[in-house]
Each structure stands twice: as C-alpha cells, then as structure tokens.
Amino acid sequence: VTSGMVVGVASSLLVMLKADSRPPHAVLGRLGDTDVFRNLLRYPTAVEVPGVFVFRFDAALNFANKNYFKSLLMRYVVARQLAGNAIRVIVLDLYGVHDIDSSAIKMLKTVLTDLKAGKGARAHAGGGSIEVVVAGCKGPVRDILTKGGVISAEVDRGGDFDLSASSLGLSPRPHPPTSEAWHET
C-alpha cells in the first residue's frame, strides 16, 4: 500500500509538472475595426496589427515554464522579422498569469533588456530595439513585477496600461480599450 501511494503521488507530481511546463498561449489579433484582440487561431477574422505583436501566456510563470515562455516569444519575434514584418512593440498580455516566481522574473528582465537593446532574437532577425508593453496584469502580479524591477512603479497608474491605438502608434479608435478587450471570454 505504501509503495502504491508513493508511486501515485510521484506520478501526479510528474503529470502536474509536465502540464505546467507547456501551458497554453496565444498570439492575438484585432477583430475588425475594434480594440478587441482575440486568439488568431480561434478567430479567423482577427488580424495582427502591423508593427505590434501581442502575446498572451495562460499560466503562472515559474521555473518549470520560463524557458518555454522565452523560446516561444523569441521564436515568434524572429519568424515575423524574417518574414519582413518589423515589430516596433510587443504587448505581453499577462491576464492569464496569476503568479510569477523569482526565476521567471530574472528571465523576463533578461528578455526585456535584450529586446530593448536589439540583442538576442532581434539581432538574428536584423533591426533595432523593440518596446515591450505589459498589459492585463492582476494586482499581485503587477506588485511582483514592480518589486522585481521588470516594470516601473511610475508606469503603474493603478489600472490597465495605456494600450490605446494612439499609444501604439496606430490610427485612433472611437472607444478606448477595456481590460476585457485583452482576453478571450
């Protein structure tokens, strides 16, 4: 009985760790002439905004999936750059992220520094720096990002970040985006 319980608990932990290491993610595009962004694979009418790459990650960022997150993000950036789609802004939609550990904070700081400096994946694709915007953070995640030095406390206005069309260098839209515009319902 004891060995069966040990095997069961160990198996459950391995299954959970495997699921945590490859969580769902999505590349988002704009629906028509709105400020609503949806998963490009689920919404065929959604289109990527030229110069803007919106990436959503749907799990806690931790030691088990930080390398997966980094490789996904860099792979998407390089693929778009090599296809001739210059990316000026990356929007990291963190609505689905409910927790971040210290190893993920360190990874995020490195990735953001490299992108802003034009290093890493950006250098392989050719070109300059990329501005990175964080959107949809829950309060506790925003606190962790601020304490970890990923985002500045001055940028945080107590609500969502300004992701209006004008702030991203796009033509203005009649209605400002809402927090609901950045996640699927």
Side-chain angles (χ1 to χ4, degrees):
V1 173
T2 304
S3 61
M5 287 178 57
V6 169
V7 169
V9 168
S11 298
S12 294
L13 287 173
L14 287 174
V15 167
M16 285 177 26
L17 189 58
K18 185 176 186 319
D20 253 5
S21 68
R22 302 254 187 241
H25 65 281
V27 175
L28 306 182
R30 187 193 312 230
L31 285 179
D33 199 28
T34 70
D35 285 326
V36 177
F37 286 74
R38 296 288 188 254
N39 184 338
L40 291 172
L41 296 177
R42 293 182 180 263
Y43 291 83
T45 58
V47 294
E48 287 190 68
V49 176
V52 179
F53 175 68
V54 184
F55 180 70
R56 187 184 70 216
F57 199 71
D58 293 328
L61 265 170
N62 56 39
F63 70 95
N65 61 27
K66 67 181 174 77
N67 291 330
Y68 180 65
F69 174 90
K70 180 180 178 179
S71 67
L72 279 174
L73 180 61
M74 295 305 191
R75 189 171 56 218
Y76 282 128
V77 169
V78 168
R80 276 152 181 77
Q81 295 294 357
L82 292 176
N85 303 326
I87 296 175
R88 295 183 330 263
V89 178
I90 294 175
V91 178
L92 294 179
D93 180 355
L94 300 182
Y95 184 82
V97 176
H98 58 86
D99 193 25
I100 299 178
D101 74 6
S102 60
S103 64
I105 288 288
K106 185 176 179 180
M107 176 275 302
L108 275 175
K109 287 173 75 171
T110 302
V111 167
L112 298 181
T113 301
D114 287 351
L115 288 169
K116 288 178 184 177
K119 295 188 225 171
R122 184 75 169 120
H124 296 298
S129 69
I130 298 175
E131 180 182 358
V132 180
V133 178
V134 177
C137 285
K138 293 171 175 63
V141 172
R142 190 179 315 123
D143 294 342
I144 293 168
L145 292 173
T146 303
K147 285 179 188 174
V150 175
I151 61 174
S152 169
E154 290 107 37
V155 174
D156 184 3
R157 294 183 211 87
D160 286 334
F161 295 92
D162 182 12
L163 296 173
S164 63
S166 59
S167 73
L168 296 175
L170 308 171
S171 60
R173 302 285 177 218
H175 304 288
T178 64
S179 59
E180 292 80 25
W182 290 96
H183 64 90
E184 286 185 25
T185 55

Short mmCIF file of all heavy atoms in Angstrom, two decimals, residues 85-133:
data_model
loop_
_atom_site.label_atom_id
_atom_site.label_comp_id
_atom_site.label_asym_id
_atom_site.label_seq_id
_atom_site.Cartn_x
_atom_site.Cartn_y
_atom_site.Cartn_z
N ASN A 85 8.14 41.43 -41.36
CA ASN A 85 7.19 42.17 -40.53
C ASN A 85 7.94 42.82 -39.38
O ASN A 85 8.20 42.18 -38.36
CB ASN A 85 6.11 41.24 -39.97
CG ASN A 85 5.37 40.52 -41.07
OD1 ASN A 85 5.16 41.05 -42.15
ND2 ASN A 85 4.97 39.29 -40.80
N ALA A 86 8.31 44.07 -39.53
CA ALA A 86 9.06 44.78 -38.49
C ALA A 86 8.18 44.97 -37.26
O ALA A 86 7.07 45.48 -37.35
CB ALA A 86 9.52 46.13 -39.01
N ILE A 87 8.68 44.54 -36.12
CA ILE A 87 7.95 44.69 -34.86
C ILE A 87 8.53 45.88 -34.12
O ILE A 87 9.72 45.93 -33.83
CB ILE A 87 8.07 43.41 -34.00
CG1 ILE A 87 7.41 42.23 -34.72
CG2 ILE A 87 7.42 43.63 -32.64
CD1 ILE A 87 7.58 40.92 -34.00
N ARG A 88 7.67 46.85 -33.82
CA ARG A 88 8.07 48.01 -33.03
C ARG A 88 7.71 47.84 -31.57
O ARG A 88 8.40 48.34 -30.69
CB ARG A 88 7.38 49.27 -33.55
CG ARG A 88 7.76 49.71 -34.93
CD ARG A 88 7.05 51.02 -35.31
NE ARG A 88 5.75 51.20 -34.68
CZ ARG A 88 4.58 50.91 -35.27
NH1 ARG A 88 4.54 50.43 -36.49
NH2 ARG A 88 3.45 51.10 -34.64
N VAL A 89 6.57 47.14 -31.32
CA VAL A 89 6.04 47.00 -29.97
C VAL A 89 5.60 45.55 -29.74
O VAL A 89 4.94 44.97 -30.60
CB VAL A 89 4.81 47.92 -29.75
CG1 VAL A 89 4.22 47.73 -28.36
CG2 VAL A 89 5.16 49.37 -29.99
N ILE A 90 6.00 45.00 -28.60
CA ILE A 90 5.49 43.71 -28.17
C ILE A 90 4.59 43.98 -26.97
O ILE A 90 5.01 44.63 -26.00
CB ILE A 90 6.60 42.74 -27.75
CG1 ILE A 90 7.46 42.37 -28.95
CG2 ILE A 90 6.02 41.48 -27.10
CD1 ILE A 90 8.67 41.51 -28.62
N VAL A 91 3.36 43.50 -27.03
CA VAL A 91 2.43 43.60 -25.91
C VAL A 91 2.37 42.22 -25.27
O VAL A 91 1.94 41.26 -25.89
CB VAL A 91 1.03 44.04 -26.36
CG1 VAL A 91 0.08 44.09 -25.17
CG2 VAL A 91 1.07 45.39 -27.07
N LEU A 92 2.84 42.12 -24.03
CA LEU A 92 2.74 40.88 -23.28
C LEU A 92 1.45 40.93 -22.47
O LEU A 92 1.34 41.69 -21.51
CB LEU A 92 3.93 40.72 -22.33
CG LEU A 92 5.29 40.53 -22.97
CD1 LEU A 92 6.36 40.42 -21.89
CD2 LEU A 92 5.31 39.32 -23.88
N ASP A 93 0.46 40.17 -22.91
CA ASP A 93 -0.82 40.11 -22.22
C ASP A 93 -0.67 39.10 -21.09
O ASP A 93 -0.61 37.89 -21.32
CB ASP A 93 -1.91 39.69 -23.19
CG ASP A 93 -3.28 39.59 -22.54
OD1 ASP A 93 -3.38 39.76 -21.30
OD2 ASP A 93 -4.25 39.34 -23.26
N LEU A 94 -0.61 39.59 -19.87
CA LEU A 94 -0.41 38.72 -18.71
C LEU A 94 -1.70 38.50 -17.92
O LEU A 94 -1.65 38.19 -16.74
CB LEU A 94 0.69 39.30 -17.81
CG LEU A 94 2.06 39.46 -18.47
CD1 LEU A 94 3.07 39.99 -17.45
CD2 LEU A 94 2.54 38.16 -19.09
N TYR A 95 -2.83 38.64 -18.59
CA TYR A 95 -4.11 38.44 -17.92
C TYR A 95 -4.23 37.03 -17.34
O TYR A 95 -4.79 36.85 -16.27
CB TYR A 95 -5.26 38.71 -18.90
CG TYR A 95 -6.61 38.61 -18.25
CD1 TYR A 95 -7.12 39.70 -17.54
CD2 TYR A 95 -7.38 37.46 -18.33
CE1 TYR A 95 -8.35 39.62 -16.93
CE2 TYR A 95 -8.61 37.38 -17.72
CZ TYR A 95 -9.10 38.46 -17.02
OH TYR A 95 -10.32 38.38 -16.40
N GLY A 96 -3.69 36.03 -18.03
CA GLY A 96 -3.79 34.65 -17.57
C GLY A 96 -2.70 34.25 -16.60
O GLY A 96 -2.67 33.12 -16.12
N VAL A 97 -1.79 35.16 -16.28
CA VAL A 97 -0.70 34.85 -15.35
C VAL A 97 -1.14 35.27 -13.95
O VAL A 97 -1.39 36.44 -13.70
CB VAL A 97 0.60 35.59 -15.75
CG1 VAL A 97 1.70 35.35 -14.74
CG2 VAL A 97 1.04 35.17 -17.15
N HIS A 98 -1.21 34.30 -13.04
CA HIS A 98 -1.66 34.60 -11.68
C HIS A 98 -0.52 34.62 -10.67
O HIS A 98 -0.71 35.03 -9.53
CB HIS A 98 -2.74 33.61 -11.23
CG HIS A 98 -2.29 32.19 -11.26
ND1 HIS A 98 -1.62 31.61 -10.22
CD2 HIS A 98 -2.40 31.24 -12.22
CE1 HIS A 98 -1.34 30.36 -10.53
NE2 HIS A 98 -1.80 30.11 -11.74
N ASP A 99 0.68 34.20 -11.09
CA ASP A 99 1.83 34.21 -10.19
C ASP A 99 3.11 34.16 -11.01
O ASP A 99 3.13 33.62 -12.11
CB ASP A 99 1.77 33.01 -9.25
CG ASP A 99 2.75 33.12 -8.10
OD1 ASP A 99 3.13 34.25 -7.72
OD2 ASP A 99 3.15 32.06 -7.56
N ILE A 100 4.17 34.72 -10.46
CA ILE A 100 5.48 34.71 -11.11
C ILE A 100 6.52 34.44 -10.02
O ILE A 100 6.49 35.09 -8.97
CB ILE A 100 5.80 36.05 -11.80
CG1 ILE A 100 4.77 36.35 -12.88
CG2 ILE A 100 7.19 36.06 -12.38
CD1 ILE A 100 4.98 37.68 -13.58
N ASP A 101 7.42 33.49 -10.29
CA ASP A 101 8.47 33.23 -9.30
C ASP A 101 9.74 34.00 -9.66
O ASP A 101 9.84 34.65 -10.71
CB ASP A 101 8.71 31.73 -9.10
CG ASP A 101 9.44 31.05 -10.24
OD1 ASP A 101 9.90 31.71 -11.19
OD2 ASP A 101 9.54 29.81 -10.19
N SER A 102 10.74 33.92 -8.78
CA SER A 102 11.96 34.72 -8.95
C SER A 102 12.76 34.32 -10.19
O SER A 102 13.38 35.17 -10.83
CB SER A 102 12.84 34.61 -7.71
OG SER A 102 13.21 33.26 -7.47
N SER A 103 12.74 33.03 -10.57
CA SER A 103 13.48 32.63 -11.77
C SER A 103 12.83 33.20 -13.03
O SER A 103 13.53 33.58 -13.97
CB SER A 103 13.59 31.10 -11.87
OG SER A 103 12.32 30.51 -12.02
N ALA A 104 11.52 33.31 -13.04
CA ALA A 104 10.82 33.89 -14.18
C ALA A 104 11.05 35.41 -14.23
O ALA A 104 11.14 35.98 -15.32
CB ALA A 104 9.33 33.57 -14.12
N ILE A 105 11.14 36.05 -13.07
CA ILE A 105 11.44 37.48 -13.03
C ILE A 105 12.81 37.74 -13.67
O ILE A 105 12.98 38.64 -14.49
CB ILE A 105 11.42 38.02 -11.59
CG1 ILE A 105 9.99 38.07 -11.06
CG2 ILE A 105 12.09 39.38 -11.46
CD1 ILE A 105 9.13 39.16 -11.66
N LYS A 106 13.78 36.92 -13.29
CA LYS A 106 15.13 37.07 -13.85
C LYS A 106 15.11 36.87 -15.36
O LYS A 106 15.71 37.64 -16.11
CB LYS A 106 16.07 36.06 -13.20
CG LYS A 106 17.50 36.21 -13.61
CD LYS A 106 18.40 35.24 -12.84
CE LYS A 106 19.84 35.39 -13.29
NZ LYS A 106 20.73 34.48 -12.58
N MET A 107 14.38 35.86 -15.84
CA MET A 107 14.27 35.60 -17.28
C MET A 107 13.60 36.79 -17.98
O MET A 107 14.06 37.24 -19.02
CB MET A 107 13.47 34.32 -17.51
CG MET A 107 13.18 33.97 -18.97
SD MET A 107 11.71 34.75 -19.72
CE MET A 107 10.40 34.21 -18.65
N LEU A 108 12.51 37.30 -17.42
CA LEU A 108 11.80 38.43 -18.02
C LEU A 108 12.71 39.66 -18.13
O LEU A 108 12.72 40.34 -19.16
CB LEU A 108 10.56 38.79 -17.21
CG LEU A 108 9.29 38.02 -17.51
CD1 LEU A 108 8.19 38.42 -16.53
CD2 LEU A 108 8.84 38.23 -18.94
N LYS A 109 13.45 39.94 -17.09
CA LYS A 109 14.36 41.10 -17.12
C LYS A 109 15.39 40.94 -18.23
O LYS A 109 15.67 41.89 -18.96
CB LYS A 109 15.03 41.27 -15.76
CG LYS A 109 14.10 41.79 -14.69
CD LYS A 109 14.72 41.80 -13.32
CE LYS A 109 15.72 42.90 -13.16
NZ LYS A 109 16.17 43.04 -11.75
N THR A 110 15.94 39.75 -18.38
CA THR A 110 16.93 39.50 -19.43
C THR A 110 16.31 39.66 -20.82
O THR A 110 16.88 40.31 -21.69
CB THR A 110 17.53 38.09 -19.28
OG1 THR A 110 18.11 37.98 -17.98
CG2 THR A 110 18.56 37.81 -20.34
N VAL A 111 15.14 39.05 -21.02
CA VAL A 111 14.48 39.12 -22.32
C VAL A 111 14.12 40.56 -22.67
O VAL A 111 14.37 41.02 -23.79
CB VAL A 111 13.21 38.23 -22.33
CG1 VAL A 111 12.34 38.51 -23.53
CG2 VAL A 111 13.60 36.76 -22.29
N LEU A 112 13.56 41.29 -21.72
CA LEU A 112 13.15 42.68 -21.99
C LEU A 112 14.37 43.56 -22.27
O LEU A 112 14.35 44.38 -23.17
CB LEU A 112 12.35 43.23 -20.82
CG LEU A 112 11.03 42.51 -20.52
CD1 LEU A 112 10.32 43.17 -19.35
CD2 LEU A 112 10.14 42.44 -21.73
N THR A 113 15.44 43.36 -21.52
CA THR A 113 16.67 44.13 -21.76
C THR A 113 17.23 43.82 -23.14
O THR A 113 17.63 44.74 -23.88
CB THR A 113 17.72 43.80 -20.67
OG1 THR A 113 17.16 44.14 -19.40
CG2 THR A 113 19.00 44.58 -20.90
N ASP A 114 17.27 42.54 -23.50
CA ASP A 114 17.78 42.15 -24.82
C ASP A 114 16.94 42.73 -25.95
O ASP A 114 17.48 43.23 -26.94
CB ASP A 114 17.85 40.63 -24.95
CG ASP A 114 18.98 40.02 -24.13
OD1 ASP A 114 19.81 40.78 -23.60
OD2 ASP A 114 19.01 38.77 -24.02
N LEU A 115 15.62 42.67 -25.82
CA LEU A 115 14.75 43.20 -26.87
C LEU A 115 14.91 44.71 -27.00
O LEU A 115 14.98 45.24 -28.11
CB LEU A 115 13.29 42.84 -26.59
CG LEU A 115 12.93 41.38 -26.81
CD1 LEU A 115 11.54 41.09 -26.26
CD2 LEU A 115 13.00 41.00 -28.29
N LYS A 116 14.97 45.40 -25.88
CA LYS A 116 15.12 46.85 -25.92
C LYS A 116 16.48 47.27 -26.47
O LYS A 116 16.62 48.31 -27.10
CB LYS A 116 14.91 47.45 -24.53
CG LYS A 116 13.46 47.40 -24.11
CD LYS A 116 13.26 47.94 -22.71
CE LYS A 116 11.81 47.78 -22.30
NZ LYS A 116 11.56 48.23 -20.93
N ALA A 117 17.49 46.43 -26.24
CA ALA A 117 18.85 46.74 -26.72
C ALA A 117 19.09 46.23 -28.13
O ALA A 117 20.15 46.46 -28.70
CB ALA A 117 19.88 46.14 -25.76
N GLY A 118 18.13 45.52 -28.69
CA GLY A 118 18.31 44.98 -30.03
C GLY A 118 19.16 43.73 -30.07
O GLY A 118 19.73 43.40 -31.10
N LYS A 119 19.27 43.02 -28.94
CA LYS A 119 20.06 41.79 -28.88
C LYS A 119 19.15 40.57 -28.94
O LYS A 119 17.95 40.68 -29.05
CB LYS A 119 20.85 41.73 -27.56
CG LYS A 119 21.88 42.78 -27.39
CD LYS A 119 22.69 42.46 -26.16
CE LYS A 119 22.91 43.67 -25.31
NZ LYS A 119 23.50 43.36 -24.02
N GLY A 120 19.77 39.42 -28.81
CA GLY A 120 19.03 38.17 -28.76
C GLY A 120 18.35 37.86 -30.07
O GLY A 120 18.94 37.98 -31.14
N ALA A 121 17.10 37.46 -30.00
CA ALA A 121 16.36 37.06 -31.19
C ALA A 121 16.25 38.20 -32.18
O ALA A 121 16.28 37.99 -33.38
CB ALA A 121 14.96 36.59 -30.79
N ARG A 122 16.15 39.41 -31.69
CA ARG A 122 16.02 40.58 -32.56
C ARG A 122 17.26 40.74 -33.42
O ARG A 122 17.18 41.08 -34.59
CB ARG A 122 15.80 41.82 -31.68
CG ARG A 122 15.57 43.07 -32.47
CD ARG A 122 14.17 43.08 -33.04
NE ARG A 122 13.91 44.39 -33.56
CZ ARG A 122 13.61 44.63 -34.82
NH1 ARG A 122 13.51 43.65 -35.67
NH2 ARG A 122 13.38 45.84 -35.25
N ALA A 123 18.42 40.46 -32.86
CA ALA A 123 19.66 40.59 -33.61
C ALA A 123 19.72 39.58 -34.76
O ALA A 123 20.19 39.89 -35.84
CB ALA A 123 20.86 40.39 -32.69
N HIS A 124 19.19 38.38 -34.52
CA HIS A 124 19.17 37.36 -35.57
C HIS A 124 18.30 37.79 -36.74
O HIS A 124 18.56 37.46 -37.88
CB HIS A 124 18.67 36.02 -35.03
CG HIS A 124 19.56 35.44 -34.00
ND1 HIS A 124 20.86 35.07 -34.25
CD2 HIS A 124 19.34 35.16 -32.70
CE1 HIS A 124 21.39 34.58 -33.15
NE2 HIS A 124 20.50 34.63 -32.19
N ALA A 125 17.23 38.52 -36.44
CA ALA A 125 16.30 38.94 -37.48
C ALA A 125 16.70 40.27 -38.09
O ALA A 125 16.14 40.69 -39.08
CB ALA A 125 14.89 39.03 -36.90
N GLY A 126 17.62 40.95 -37.49
CA GLY A 126 18.07 42.23 -38.01
C GLY A 126 17.17 43.36 -37.58
O GLY A 126 15.97 43.26 -37.62
N GLY A 127 17.73 44.42 -37.10
CA GLY A 127 16.93 45.58 -36.73
C GLY A 127 17.29 46.12 -35.37
O GLY A 127 18.21 45.65 -34.71
N GLY A 128 16.55 47.14 -34.94
CA GLY A 128 16.83 47.83 -33.69
C GLY A 128 16.01 47.34 -32.53
O GLY A 128 15.53 46.22 -32.51
N SER A 129 15.84 48.22 -31.59
CA SER A 129 15.17 47.84 -30.35
C SER A 129 13.66 47.72 -30.53
O SER A 129 13.07 48.25 -31.46
CB SER A 129 15.47 48.86 -29.26
OG SER A 129 14.85 50.08 -29.55
N ILE A 130 13.06 46.99 -29.60
CA ILE A 130 11.62 46.78 -29.58
C ILE A 130 11.10 47.26 -28.23
O ILE A 130 11.67 46.90 -27.19
CB ILE A 130 11.26 45.29 -29.77
CG1 ILE A 130 11.74 44.80 -31.13
CG2 ILE A 130 9.77 45.07 -29.60
CD1 ILE A 130 11.53 43.30 -31.34
N GLU A 131 10.05 48.06 -28.24
CA GLU A 131 9.41 48.48 -27.00
C GLU A 131 8.53 47.33 -26.51
O GLU A 131 7.81 46.71 -27.30
CB GLU A 131 8.58 49.73 -27.22
CG GLU A 131 7.89 50.21 -25.96
CD GLU A 131 7.01 51.42 -26.19
OE1 GLU A 131 6.95 51.93 -27.32
OE2 GLU A 131 6.35 51.83 -25.23
N VAL A 132 8.56 47.06 -25.22
CA VAL A 132 7.74 46.00 -24.64
C VAL A 132 6.75 46.63 -23.68
O VAL A 132 7.12 47.41 -22.80
CB VAL A 132 8.60 44.95 -23.91
CG1 VAL A 132 7.73 43.85 -23.32
CG2 VAL A 132 9.63 44.35 -24.87
N VAL A 133 5.47 46.29 -23.86
CA VAL A 133 4.39 46.80 -23.03
C VAL A 133 3.75 45.61 -22.33
O VAL A 133 3.51 44.58 -22.95
CB VAL A 133 3.33 47.53 -23.90
CG1 VAL A 133 2.18 48.02 -23.05
CG2 VAL A 133 3.95 48.66 -24.68
#
